[in-house]
């Protein structure tokens, strides 16, 4: 059975109580000696008290460097018994009113030491008390008592005290034992409660879904680790904040049917996520509803993949269409163009007829451009992968663009923000220049009234990230989701295949590409390419979608699901 108290703390407390009692006794005896005539040896009493003080201070010092607390407990009990006997002798022996100190020492022995020590302390107290009374009765030592009882009366007093000491030791030992048992049960119960609380906390912190609890007023009271990661904020930032301010959409109500909803949330970096939120009442038996529990998980990837599956179907249909009719359209188109050219050579044609023939020629050329892009989109491509530095490729494209902008006086300025001096990757440099030029061309077309094109290149984990940001009118969320699909051009005269071809090139490089934009805040096209790894080899030729159009376009949509993983955030 373990001790009810920490022995060291209890011994320190015992010294404090002992000094307090000694001070109280000293004050009482000094007051009595001054107010009433008393034959007691005041000097002997004071010396005994002072000796007790000194020994108590010694035990305080001993407690700080000696770890044998059980032995210290025995020493203090024995010392107290002898000093109590000295004080009883000095205060009159059989007439002393301080023999109540013996039961106090017995009680302390019951608390500090095993049960057997209670009876040993009682027996020793009986022996010491009886010795003091016998020695003074037979005048072996000077007696300071005012009464002189007969021997039988003296023996009766001694044995009555023996009975009292034994009764105190028995009751104290029984009570101490009960308290120890209760203490052990309390420790077991507390340990089980702590384990249960730790288990619940571990469960809450271990679940992968976010969990938030609020009071009835909607202010957050608890946030688990998963919720902090999903919301990209610390617990200190979230606690006491109204939960409805975290999301763009209204949260479900506990009494609604169903009690769940999909809500949008904007990250600190501007990305938009979609969460599924479920709400339930935080009910406690006999206390009713104390608040609400919100559990949520991230549906951003799922919803994005659903959009990409729909895109996959459209891309597959476009691929099949391209493979089936592209060449068939070009053949009669060539005949039409030749016939119109011959008709335009007739000298008798009027101005109105020639204008009509020019319209036919111009629209035939436009249709031929569309078919050319269509065929470029669907036919196989040759890639020559090598270790290239992306910075010169970007710089070549921007230099060419700046000369064109200066010649056309468009009012567009180009800014460069390069966070690195070299950016090596395994890529086809010519194809990447086509990607860069297409991004620049789209930015220039978007900024009809002038603006700034900011191109940045930086490291992002194991990838290089290149951003093309314009200050144009921006795009809607619906357009962002379809921007890499064929025939989605928003510019007059565009075929709508430029970004689709860009996507195919990025796919061949196993990269990622996406767009971020808000209406009135410009657009950013983001390209990520893997860093060059030592020993990396790539196939010199990769077929795109000529003979196996449908299969390749299915792969295209699959890669797009990952390529736009960060892109359609809005």
């Amino acid at each position: 059975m373990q001790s009810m108290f920490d022995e060291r703390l209890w011994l320190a407390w015992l010294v404090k109580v002992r000094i307090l009692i000694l001070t109280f006794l000293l004050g009482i005896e000094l007051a009595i000696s001054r107010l009433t005539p008393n034959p007691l040896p005041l000097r002997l009493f004071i010396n005994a008290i002072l000796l007790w003080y000194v020994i108590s201070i010694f035990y305080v010092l001993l407690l700080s460097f000696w770890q044998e607390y059980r032995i210290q407990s025995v020493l203090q009990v024995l010392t107290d018994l002898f000093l109590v006997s000295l004080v009883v002798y000095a205060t009159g022996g059989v007439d002393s009113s301080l023999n109540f100190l013996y039961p106090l020492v017995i009680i302390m022995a019951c608390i500090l030491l095993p049960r057997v020590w209670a009876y040993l302390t009682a027996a020793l107290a009986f022996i010491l008390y009886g010795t003091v009374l016998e020695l003074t009765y037979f005048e072996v030592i000077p007696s300071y008592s005012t009464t002189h009882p007969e021997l039988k009366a003296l023996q009766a007093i001694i044995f009555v005290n023996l009975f009292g000491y034994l009764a105190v030791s028995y009751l104290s030992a029984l009570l101490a034992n009960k308290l120890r048992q209760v203490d052990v049960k309390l420790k077991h119960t507390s340990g089980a409660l702590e384990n249960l609380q730790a288990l619940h906390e571990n469960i809450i912190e271990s679940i992968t879904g976010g969990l938030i609890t609020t009071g009835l007023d909607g202010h957050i009271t608890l946030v688990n680790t998963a919720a902090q990661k999903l919301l990209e904020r610390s617990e200190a930032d979230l606690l006491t904040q109204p939960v409805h301010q975290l999301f763009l959409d209204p949260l479900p109500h506990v009494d609604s049917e169903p009690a769940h909803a999909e809500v949008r949330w904007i990250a600190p970096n501007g990305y938009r996520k979609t969460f599924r939120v479920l709400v339930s009442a935080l009910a406690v038996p006999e206390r009713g509803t104390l608040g609400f529990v919100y559990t949520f998980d991230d549906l951003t990837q799922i919803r994005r993949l659903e959009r990409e599956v729909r895109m996959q179907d459209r891309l597959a249909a476009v691929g099949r269409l391209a493979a089936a009719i592209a060449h068939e359209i070009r053949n009669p188109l060539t005949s039409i163009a030749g016939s119109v050219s011959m008709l335009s050579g007739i000298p008798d044609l009027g101005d109105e007829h020639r204008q009509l023939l020019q319209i036919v020629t111009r629209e035939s050329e436009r249709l031929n451009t569309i078919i050319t892009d269509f065929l470029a989109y669907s036919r196989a491509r040759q890639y020559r992968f090598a270790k290239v530095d992306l910075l010169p490729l970007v710089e070549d494209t921007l230099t060419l663009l700046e000369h064109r902008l200066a010649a056309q006086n468009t009012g567009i300025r180009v800014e460069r923000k390069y966070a690195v001096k070299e950016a090596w990757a395994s890529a086809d440099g010519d194809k990447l220049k086509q990607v860069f030029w297409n991004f620049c061309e789209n930015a220039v077309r978007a900024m009809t009234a002038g603006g700034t094109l900011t191109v940045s290149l930086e490291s992002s984990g194991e990838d290089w990230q290149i951003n093309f940001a314009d200050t144009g009118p921006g795009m809607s969320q619906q357009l962002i989701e379809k921007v890499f699909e064929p025939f989605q051009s928003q510019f007059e005269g565009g075929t709508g295949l430029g970004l689709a071809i860009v996507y195919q090139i990025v796919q061949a490089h196993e990269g990622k590409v996406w767009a971020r934009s808000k209406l009135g805040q410009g657009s950013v096209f983001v390209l990520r390419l893997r860093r060059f790894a030592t020993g990396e080899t790539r196939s010199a030729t990769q077929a795109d979608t000529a003979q196996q159009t449908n299969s390749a376009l299915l792969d295209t949509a699959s890669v797009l699901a990952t390529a736009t993983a960060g892109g359609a955030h809005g």
Side-chain angles (χ1 to χ4, degrees), residues 325-335 368-369 371-372 375:
I325 67 173
H327 289 286
E328 298 300 328
I329 292 178
R330 170 161 283 185
N331 291 334
L333 184 62
T334 303
S335 301
N368 183 62
T369 301
I371 295 302
T372 300
L375 290 175

Side-chain angles (χ1 to χ4, degrees), residues 262 264 271-275 298-316 476-485 503 514-515 556-570:
E262 291 188 11
R264 293 168 299 165
Y271 288 179
R272 179 177 297 175
K273 292 184 178 181
T274 301
F275 294 136
D298 192 354
L299 296 183
T300 307
Q301 294 288 354
I302 296 176
R303 295 296 177 257
R304 191 170 296 135
L305 288 174
E306 289 177 352
R307 291 195 298 268
E308 301 310 331
V309 168
R310 293 193 294 269
M311 180 187 291
Q312 167 188 336
D313 294 336
R314 290 193 292 269
L315 290 174
S476 65
Q477 182 65 27
Q478 292 76 14
L479 180 58
I480 292 174
E481 295 178 2
K482 302 185 296 182
V483 69
F484 292 101
E485 295 181 15
Y503 175 74
W514 66 86
T556 299
S558 176
V559 175
L560 189 58
T562 57
T564 58
H569 298 282

